[in-house]
Amino acid sequence: MIKVAMTSVYVDDVAKAHAFYTDVLGFETRTHVDPGGGAPFVTVGAKEGAQRDLELLLEPGRGPLAEPYRRAVREAGLPAIVFSVDDLRAEFERLRGEGVHFVQDPREQGPVLTALLDDTVGNLIQLVQPTG
Protein backbone atom coordinates (compact mmCIF):
# COMPACT_ATOMS: atom_id res chain seq x y z
CA MET A 1 0.00 0.00 0.00
CA ILE A 2 1.29 3.46 -0.92
CA LYS A 3 0.45 6.38 1.38
CA VAL A 4 1.38 10.05 1.40
CA ALA A 5 4.18 10.57 3.91
CA MET A 6 5.09 14.20 3.26
CA THR A 7 3.95 17.03 1.08
CA SER A 8 5.30 20.55 0.92
CA VAL A 9 4.14 24.11 0.68
CA TYR A 10 6.45 26.86 -0.58
CA VAL A 11 6.79 29.74 1.88
CA ASP A 12 8.43 33.19 1.83
CA ASP A 13 10.10 32.69 5.21
CA VAL A 14 10.48 29.29 6.88
CA ALA A 15 10.79 30.69 10.43
CA LYS A 16 7.71 32.92 10.03
CA ALA A 17 5.79 30.04 8.45
CA HIS A 18 6.80 27.71 11.28
CA ALA A 19 5.46 30.19 13.84
CA PHE A 20 2.18 30.66 11.94
CA TYR A 21 1.55 26.98 11.30
CA THR A 22 2.29 25.99 14.92
CA ASP A 23 1.28 29.00 17.05
CA VAL A 24 -1.78 30.05 15.03
CA LEU A 25 -3.01 27.03 13.08
CA GLY A 26 -2.13 24.60 15.89
CA PHE A 27 0.18 22.12 14.20
CA GLU A 28 3.10 20.59 16.07
CA THR A 29 6.74 20.61 15.00
CA ARG A 30 7.81 17.21 13.72
CA THR A 31 11.28 18.05 12.41
CA HIS A 32 13.44 21.13 12.81
CA VAL A 33 17.07 20.75 11.74
CA ASP A 34 19.62 23.01 10.13
CA PRO A 35 21.34 21.07 7.35
CA GLY A 36 23.38 24.14 6.40
CA GLY A 37 22.93 26.32 3.37
CA GLY A 38 20.85 28.98 5.10
CA ALA A 39 17.44 27.32 5.30
CA PRO A 40 16.29 24.96 8.06
CA PHE A 41 14.44 21.74 7.24
CA VAL A 42 11.12 22.14 9.06
CA THR A 43 8.08 19.86 9.02
CA VAL A 44 4.83 20.19 10.94
CA GLY A 45 1.87 17.91 11.43
CA ALA A 46 -1.45 17.49 13.17
CA LYS A 47 -1.37 17.25 16.96
CA GLU A 48 -2.90 14.65 19.23
CA GLY A 49 -1.84 11.56 17.34
CA ALA A 50 -3.89 12.35 14.26
CA GLN A 51 -2.11 11.57 11.01
CA ARG A 52 1.18 10.71 12.69
CA ASP A 53 2.54 9.43 9.39
CA LEU A 54 1.82 12.65 7.44
CA GLU A 55 4.04 15.73 7.55
CA LEU A 56 3.95 19.13 5.87
CA LEU A 57 7.35 20.45 4.76
CA LEU A 58 7.68 24.23 4.95
CA GLU A 59 9.76 24.61 1.80
CA PRO A 60 11.73 27.79 0.98
CA GLY A 61 9.80 29.36 -1.89
CA ARG A 62 12.47 31.24 -3.74
CA GLY A 63 13.94 30.15 -7.03
CA PRO A 64 13.16 29.79 -10.73
CA LEU A 65 10.68 26.94 -10.26
CA ALA A 66 8.89 27.97 -7.07
CA GLU A 67 8.36 31.68 -7.70
CA PRO A 68 6.40 31.49 -10.99
CA TYR A 69 4.34 28.57 -9.66
CA ARG A 70 3.49 30.36 -6.41
CA ARG A 71 2.62 33.60 -8.21
CA ALA A 72 0.33 31.83 -10.69
CA VAL A 73 -1.48 29.84 -7.99
CA ARG A 74 -1.95 32.95 -5.83
CA GLU A 75 -3.13 35.12 -8.75
CA ALA A 76 -5.66 32.44 -9.70
CA GLY A 77 -7.02 32.54 -6.12
CA LEU A 78 -6.25 28.85 -5.62
CA PRO A 79 -5.23 27.33 -2.31
CA ALA A 80 -1.68 26.03 -1.99
CA ILE A 81 -3.04 23.33 0.32
CA VAL A 82 -6.37 22.29 1.83
CA PHE A 83 -6.88 21.40 5.50
CA SER A 84 -9.95 19.68 6.89
CA VAL A 85 -11.59 20.81 10.12
CA ASP A 86 -14.37 19.37 12.25
CA ASP A 87 -16.17 22.69 12.81
CA LEU A 88 -15.27 25.28 10.19
CA ARG A 89 -17.36 28.11 11.62
CA ALA A 90 -15.76 27.72 15.07
CA GLU A 91 -12.29 27.52 13.54
CA PHE A 92 -13.03 30.59 11.42
CA GLU A 93 -13.99 32.58 14.53
CA ARG A 94 -10.96 31.33 16.49
CA LEU A 95 -8.54 32.21 13.70
CA ARG A 96 -10.15 35.58 13.04
CA GLY A 97 -9.69 36.29 16.74
CA GLU A 98 -5.97 35.49 16.25
CA GLY A 99 -5.82 38.15 13.53
CA VAL A 100 -5.86 35.78 10.55
CA HIS A 101 -6.98 37.43 7.32
CA PHE A 102 -9.61 35.49 5.41
CA VAL A 103 -10.04 36.19 1.71
CA GLN A 104 -13.21 34.11 1.65
CA ASP A 105 -15.56 33.74 4.61
CA PRO A 106 -17.24 30.37 5.20
CA ARG A 107 -19.56 29.36 2.39
CA GLU A 108 -21.16 26.19 1.15
CA GLN A 109 -19.70 24.68 -1.99
CA GLY A 110 -21.61 21.54 -2.84
CA PRO A 111 -21.01 18.91 -0.15
CA VAL A 112 -18.50 21.03 1.82
CA LEU A 113 -18.26 24.25 3.77
CA THR A 114 -15.10 26.19 2.81
CA ALA A 115 -13.11 29.25 3.82
CA LEU A 116 -9.88 30.67 2.38
CA LEU A 117 -7.18 32.32 4.47
CA ASP A 118 -3.84 34.03 3.90
CA ASP A 119 -1.02 32.17 5.66
CA THR A 120 1.17 35.35 5.90
CA VAL A 121 4.00 33.67 3.95
CA GLY A 122 2.66 33.86 0.40
CA ASN A 123 -0.11 31.29 0.24
CA LEU A 124 -3.84 30.93 0.32
CA ILE A 125 -4.97 28.02 2.50
CA GLN A 126 -8.41 26.49 2.23
CA LEU A 127 -10.26 25.03 5.20
CA VAL A 128 -13.00 22.50 4.46
CA GLN A 129 -15.67 20.70 6.43
CA PRO A 130 -17.97 18.08 4.92
CA THR A 131 -21.61 19.11 5.33
CA GLY A 132 -23.31 15.82 4.57
Side-chain angles (χ1 to χ4, degrees):
M1 173 170 60
I2 297 175
K3 298 188 311 184
V4 176
M6 182 183 299
T7 190
S8 62
V9 62
Y10 290 118
V11 297
D12 293 337
D13 180 308
V14 173
K16 185 177 177 183
H18 182 233
F20 182 81
Y21 280 73
T22 55
D23 298 343
V24 179
L25 294 184
F27 288 102
E28 67 181 10
T29 303
R30 298 279 180 82
T31 307
H32 194 293
V33 296
D34 186 355
F41 182 86
V42 179
T43 68
V44 297
K47 286 185 176 180
E48 302 166 7
Q51 298 180 311
R52 292 300 309 164
D53 59 347
L54 180 58
E55 296 182 46
L56 177 63
L57 172 61
L58 304 176
E59 184 83 46
R62 293 181 183 29
L65 294 175
E67 290 173 355
Y69 166 77
R70 294 177 69 213
R71 184 174 41 257
V73 169
R74 179 78 186 220
E75 288 173 1
L78 298 173
I81 195 162
V82 178
F83 298 131
S84 65
V85 295
D86 293 329
D87 184 341
L88 190 134
R89 293 188 193 286
E91 199 63 32
F92 172 80
E93 292 301 328
R94 181 188 76 80
L95 291 171
R96 232 176 35 170
E98 294 278 338
V100 172
H101 171 68
F102 280 83
V103 298
Q104 176 211 306
D105 289 352
R107 70 177 181 195
E108 289 194 25
Q109 292 185 296
V112 295
L113 184 63
T114 68
L116 196 62
L117 64 92
D118 185 324
D119 76 351
T120 75
V121 286
N123 302 294
L124 298 176
I125 304 297
Q126 187 172 53
L127 303 179
V128 300
Q129 174 193 345
T131 56

